[in-house]
Amino acid sequence: MMAYYVIVFLALISYAGSVEEQSVSFKNCMKSSAGAATSIETIALTSSSSQYEQALQSFEQNPRWVNSSSASTSPTTPLVILTPLSASQIQAAILCTKKLGMQIRVRSGGHDYEGLSFLSYSKAPFVMLDLNKLRSIDINLADETAWVQAGATLGELYYKISKASALHGFPAGLCPSIGLGGHISGGGFGTMLRKFGTAADNVVDATIIDANGTILDRKSMGEDLFWAIRGGGGTSFGVVLSWKIKLVRVPPVVTAFNVQRTVAEGATKLILKWQTIADKLPEDLFIRVVAQNTGANSATVQASFNSFFLGGIDRLMPIMKQSFPELGLQAKDCTEMTWIQSALFFGGYSKDDALEALLDRVTTFKSSFKAKSDYVTKPIPEAGLEGIWKLLLKEDVLALLIMDPYGGRMSEIPESEIAFPHRKGNLYNIQYMVKWDVNTAEASSRHVRWMTSLYSYMTPYVSNSPRAAYVNYRDLDIGTNKPDNTSFAEASVWGVKYFKANFIRLSQIKKKVDPRNFFRNEQSIPLFS
């Protein structure tokens, strides 16, 4: 037995030495690179640095992995956290990691649901690029566009737009701390998707650094790669530096309401009706449903009908009375505000809070969670909904379903227009989420098992062949790549769920632009074969 512990001890010493040597080699390579003029010590942290843990966890929006897994199953963290101040430092990092046989992960906001921007389950040594210093936003009202760097957040973008114009906005997500690099590359949608489509639908140019360290714009990268990074996940193909987005015009007044009903108050019947109208309402109107328990010892399920309307109460009320009178909406339930106030309202703040709240890069409600997603193509029957409520009440922490309606502009854009494929035929998207604060291995395992049971229960009620999923609600349970190279057929297990028929083209483009599969992770696009 003593011999065993000696072997383990020596192995750990050897591993620690190897890690330190690799970190030093990377930093030395960066020092010798022409593109890394800034002192490497000011932008690179190794695991031996006293600032490393704080830097790793500062923008880690899901702390599920901290103290929740055993050493044998837990993912590995970066050898080096690099916070580049310029594109040239990213170029140097790509060339150095390739030279040293290391990988790269990219974090813009830290919201990857499975932590793939800052963790690795393959155990391969990697450098994490933290883009939070590359966050410039340049608004051009003359042509109604903006260049935004990948490290900027949604909140920073919305804030900057509001300072330039009261009549412009951008159709993207609700959480202000989400990074634009990952959000747009996965599609990105929010309250205006029925009017303007996804965030990726409103991108007109981009810059990306490829596996050769070359900076490319739309013209030089070509239309295939430009197509792929809009909804296909940018980090499979390179490091997205910036997006040129098309701003959209918004009215001076928008309206929001949040009507809550318990099951005892008729929530089930209301959701049955909502399923038949939500995707057919005027495209200015977005009504989502959030169905949840109320946490520990919950005795009931509550549904919130959460709405955003591009216009005033006077226009909204006749639409609601005609299309959804069962909700019983009254004018007093509605609040008029500006578009930028709606960003605060849907971001978890009060509409009257200071706009600077949008600049906080840490998520408002930070806790451990597990999420999954589905698409619904036909209404879930009453018995199906009642089964969901029973499962929600079995969980002893906050558990919820967020149901976002599609239709409108989303039904007009072809599935193959960009890599994001979820269009006509979808009534709504479901995001399942369970959140907990006591983050032990046992608690994490228990809540994940509950989520798995809910997902299994939903099988007959959601899309099939494939059972579609949204890549920005990443879920490793649906399949992962092997540590090195995974075939197209093997990766199709998860790939067609996210990308449907577009997965083939994505894989073909991957083979063309990154033939050695340098940019890879547990769910990166595979080389076509």
Side-chain angles (χ1 to χ4, degrees):
M1 182 62 72
M2 180 61 70
Y4 168 79
Y5 284 115
V6 169
I7 292 172
V8 171
F9 178 70
L10 292 175
L12 289 173
I13 292 176
S14 175
Y15 174 74
S18 174
V19 166
E20 187 62 30
E21 289 168 7
Q22 288 176 308
S23 301
V24 170
S25 296
F26 174 77
K27 291 171 72 172
N28 287 338
C29 180
M30 289 290 292
K31 288 177 183 177
S32 64
S33 299
T38 302
S39 170
I40 188 64
E41 302 301 332
T42 65
I43 62 171
L45 295 174
T46 64
S47 56
S48 61
S49 168
S50 60
Q51 299 173 313
Y52 176 90
E53 284 299 325
Q54 191 277 332
L56 181 64
Q57 296 179 25
S58 59
F59 300 124
E60 187 178 284
Q61 308 295 353
N62 183 2
R64 187 173 100 217
W65 299 272
V66 180
N67 300 325
S68 65
S69 301
S70 66
S72 61
T73 60
S74 61
T76 55
T77 54
L79 290 180
V80 179
I81 298 174
L82 187 73
T83 307
L85 305 176
S86 66
S88 60
Q89 290 169 349
I90 299 176
Q91 292 173 289
I94 289 172
L95 297 178
C96 285
T97 50
K98 283 180 67 177
K99 177 181 178 181
L100 297 170
M102 301 166 69
Q103 295 181 10
I104 272 185
R105 300 288 169 108
V106 184
R107 182 173 74 175
S108 55
H111 279 266
D112 187 290
Y113 275 19
E114 297 282 16
L116 298 191
S117 58
F118 51 87
L119 300 170
S120 172
Y121 291 85
S122 70
K123 310 298 183 181
F126 70 99
V127 171
M128 184 188 82
L129 298 181
D130 187 344
L131 302 184
N132 81 87
K133 299 297 184 184
L134 298 175
R135 55 208 274 195
S136 70
I137 300 170
D138 296 313
I139 308 288
N140 185 347
L141 290 182
D143 66 357
E144 298 180 298
T145 63
W147 272 105
V148 296
Q149 285 190 305
T153 64
L154 297 182
E156 289 168 344
L157 172 61
Y158 297 160
Y159 177 86
K160 197 71 177 283
I161 292 173
S162 74
K163 292 300 181 181
S165 169
L167 298 176
H168 288 85
F170 186 67
L174 307 187
C175 180
S177 59
I178 290 175
L180 282 157
H183 185 65
I184 294 179
S185 70
F189 65 79
T191 57
M192 295 196 290
L193 88 161
R194 303 191 65 252
K195 178 73 171 182
F196 300 110
T198 68
D201 291 319
N202 292 275
V203 170
V204 295
D205 203 344
T207 58
I208 187 172
I209 303 180
D210 68 10
N212 297 317
T214 305
I215 300 177
L216 306 169
D217 62 8
R218 178 175 182 173
K219 183 177 180 180
S220 55
M221 78 174 76
E223 289 303 301
D224 275 349
L225 182 52
F226 184 60
W227 175 89
I229 61 176
R230 290 175 294 158
T235 54
S236 288
F237 306 95
V239 179
V240 174
L241 283 176
S242 59
W243 305 101
K244 185 179 184 182
I245 59 173
K246 178 175 60 179
L247 303 180
V248 301
R249 296 192 180 189
V250 296
V253 174
V254 303
T255 303
F257 68 77
N258 187 36
V259 174
Q260 298 179 335
R261 298 284 188 269
T262 65
V263 170
E265 294 169 333
T268 306
K269 296 291 187 186
L270 290 173
I271 293 174
L272 286 171
K273 176 63 183 287
W274 172 85
Q275 291 184 102
T276 66
I277 62 162
D279 67 310
K280 303 174 185 67
L281 293 169
E283 60 185 15
D284 286 344
L285 179 56
F286 170 93
I287 306 175
R288 70 173 182 169
V289 177
V290 180
Q292 64 181 76
N293 64 16
T294 53
N297 302 314
S298 177
T300 188
V301 170
Q302 176 179 278
S304 299
F305 294 83
N306 198 207
S307 179
F308 172 87
F309 178 64
L310 287 160
I313 295 174
D314 59 334
R315 281 186 53 224
L316 172 62
M317 289 306 298
I319 296 173
M320 291 299 296
K321 287 180 179 178
Q322 179 181 352
S323 302
F324 200 5
E326 296 86 349
L327 188 61
L329 184 72
Q330 300 181 39
K332 65 181 179 62
D333 301 320
C334 305
T335 305
E336 292 186 339
M337 59 189 77
T338 62
W339 171 78
I340 192 61
Q341 286 179 314
S342 78
L344 284 167
F345 179 82
F346 285 98
Y349 301 97
S350 164
K351 74 176 182 66
D352 297 317
D353 284 344
L355 294 183
E356 284 69 24
L358 295 171
L359 304 179
D360 188 351
R361 294 181 67 92
V362 178
T363 191
T364 310
F365 307 108
K366 189 171 181 177
S367 61
S368 300
F369 68 87
K370 172 62 182 178
K372 290 179 175 289
S373 64
D374 265 318
Y375 280 88
V376 176
T377 58
K378 58 184 180 181
I380 299 173
E382 185 170 3
L385 294 175
E386 290 173 347
I388 296 171
W389 309 157
K390 290 177 182 177
L391 283 167
L392 288 175
L393 294 177
K394 285 183 177 180
E395 181 54 282
D396 61 1
V397 293
L398 178 61
L400 63 156
L401 283 73
I402 303 173
M403 297 173 271
D404 289 308
Y406 274 39
R409 180 66 180 140
M410 293 296 285
S411 293
E412 298 169 355
I413 301 172
E415 288 191 357
S416 60
E417 182 74 13
I418 63 173
F420 178 92
H422 309 292
R423 306 293 184 173
K424 187 176 181 179
N426 291 302
L427 302 181
Y428 56 96
N429 167 272
I430 302 179
Q431 177 181 187
Y432 312 100
M433 183 173 286
V434 58
K435 307 178 77 171
W436 61 93
D437 295 320
V438 180
N439 193 33
T440 63
E442 185 279 329
S444 179
S445 177
R446 176 162 46 87
H447 298 310
V448 170
R449 284 197 306 272
W450 176 87
M451 177 61 75
T452 301
S453 69
L454 173 62
Y455 188 72
S456 176
Y457 170 82
M458 293 298 296
T459 303
Y461 304 116
V462 297
S463 63
N464 59 76
S465 300
R467 182 174 182 174
Y470 176 38
V471 69
N472 276 358
Y473 300 154
R474 190 185 300 281
D475 179 13
L476 294 183
D477 297 344
I478 66 175
T480 59
N481 295 335
K482 294 186 296 189
D484 294 317
N485 287 314
T486 300
S487 72
F488 173 80
E490 291 168 327
S492 292
V493 170
W494 60 265
V496 296
K497 292 180 173 66
Y498 288 144
F499 306 113
K500 302 174 75 170
N502 291 343
F503 190 53
I504 295 175
R505 186 179 176 191
L506 284 167
S507 185
Q508 292 169 335
I509 295 169
K510 170 72 171 180
K511 186 174 183 178
K512 181 170 68 173
V513 303
D514 185 17
R516 296 192 176 182
N517 200 24
F518 172 68
F519 293 106
R520 65 183 185 271
N521 59 45
E522 288 76 2
Q523 283 188 343
S524 57
I525 303 297
L527 303 178
F528 187 75
S529 57

